[in-house]
Amino acid sequence: AITAKCVLAEGTRAITEARDYGLRAPETTSDEIGALAHSFNEMLVQIEARERELAHELNERMRAEERLDRLAHFDTVTSLPNRYYFNERLVDAVHRANRFSEPMALLFLDLDNFKIVNDTLGHHVGDELLRLVAMRLSGIVRSGDSLCRIGGDEFALILPNVADHAQAEIIAAKCIKAVSGPIDIEGSEIYVTVSIGIGLCPQDASVASDLLKHADTAMYHAKELGRDNG
């Protein structure tokens, strides 16, 4: 004879093996066994609902963590990696250059006279200008390069496997050319130029912070030479 114990045991075994709380015990009788099966199924309904709630909460938490991670590592104006990401990536690139003898270059880019655009046309135009410049620069970087916005009107380009200044200068010239064309924003035709400083690892520096200082100094030297220089 079928007993209440058998009903519970069989139902529990099937759910455990299938890992599926959507399974139900058969409610074929109206006696004690049928009532037990009904109660068992009601419990499964509640468990299944709670499983869905937990899965939803987990998905929401994962999405929130992804949003926070993106906010922590990416610039909201240009969608480029931000300074936090840049610092991590630069340390890693310098480490590889030193450990595996894979020379790399750092380009420090600063838009010329960007403050004038902000002051005369407004910050919303300045933000749009930064976004469009970022798009132009993204269009010429190589696979494996890391283009970042590190603050204000400053960008940085990490270039692995660049052996000398001549090779870095070729890429810098491409950046200057990509940025130099007129940019139309809200009916205003804006011309923007960029000054670029170059630092090589390990030739110029073998520590990330020193390499950044070297490229930054080189960028200011380029501005002194008349801007729109690399």
Side-chain angles (χ1 to χ4, degrees):
I2 299 175
T3 65
K5 184 176 181 181
C6 290
V7 171
L8 288 176
E10 181 62 24
T12 302
R13 182 190 62 78
I15 292 169
T16 301
E17 290 180 353
R19 297 183 178 180
D20 182 5
Y21 288 108
L23 297 177
R24 298 290 182 265
E27 300 179 28
T28 56
T29 63
S30 59
D31 55 11
E32 180 185 355
I33 294 176
L36 178 63
H38 180 75
S39 297
F40 184 68
N41 289 338
E42 286 294 313
M43 180 186 69
L44 291 176
V45 169
Q46 295 178 25
I47 293 175
E48 191 178 17
R50 183 54 183 158
E51 285 287 304
R52 288 195 298 268
E53 290 175 3
L54 289 173
H56 177 72
E57 290 174 7
L58 180 60
N59 287 335
E60 286 298 308
R61 182 176 299 178
M62 290 176 62
R63 282 194 286 267
E65 290 176 352
E66 289 173 357
R67 287 193 294 268
L68 288 174
D69 183 70
R70 181 164 186 83
L71 287 172
H73 291 87
F74 288 84
D75 172 52
T76 56
V77 174
T78 64
S79 296
L80 292 177
N82 62 15
R83 192 180 190 100
Y84 182 82
Y85 175 95
F86 163 75
N87 289 334
E88 291 182 340
R89 184 70 184 87
L90 181 61
V91 169
D92 180 66
V94 168
H95 173 73
R96 291 188 61 84
N98 291 322
R99 182 172 181 180
F100 301 108
S101 298
E102 297 176 357
M104 54 79 61
L106 171 64
L107 269 55
F108 192 103
L109 302 83
D110 185 89
L111 299 184
D112 301 321
N113 300 317
F114 177 74
K115 187 176 183 298
I116 295 176
V117 174
N118 265 344
D119 292 345
T120 58
L121 299 178
H123 288 279
H124 68 291
V125 173
D127 285 348
E128 180 64 6
L129 177 60
L130 290 170
R131 188 184 69 82
L132 294 174
V133 166
M135 287 180 60
R136 289 188 175 188
L137 291 173
S138 297
I140 58 97
V141 299
R142 310 168 306 166
S143 175
D145 296 344
S146 296
L147 175 65
C148 309
R149 181 191 176 200
I150 58 177
D153 58 352
E154 297 174 340
F155 297 83
L157 183 55
I158 299 172
L159 305 169
N161 301 314
V162 171
D164 53 41
H165 274 275
Q167 189 177 355
E169 287 168 0
I170 291 173
I171 299 173
K174 290 181 179 179
C175 291
I176 291 172
K177 183 178 179 180
V179 172
S180 62
I183 299 176
D184 185 88
I185 302 177
E186 297 183 355
S188 297
E189 197 169 68
I190 301 172
Y191 288 84
V192 62
T193 58
V194 60
S195 296
I196 303 176
I198 299 173
L200 292 184
C201 176
Q203 293 95 316
D204 297 324
S206 58
V207 177
S209 57
D210 292 341
L211 184 64
L212 180 58
K213 289 177 183 177
H214 182 92
D216 187 26
T217 300
M219 182 274 296
Y220 278 105
H221 180 64
K223 282 188 179 291
E224 291 172 357
L225 293 177
R227 304 176 185 270
D228 199 19
N229 275 297

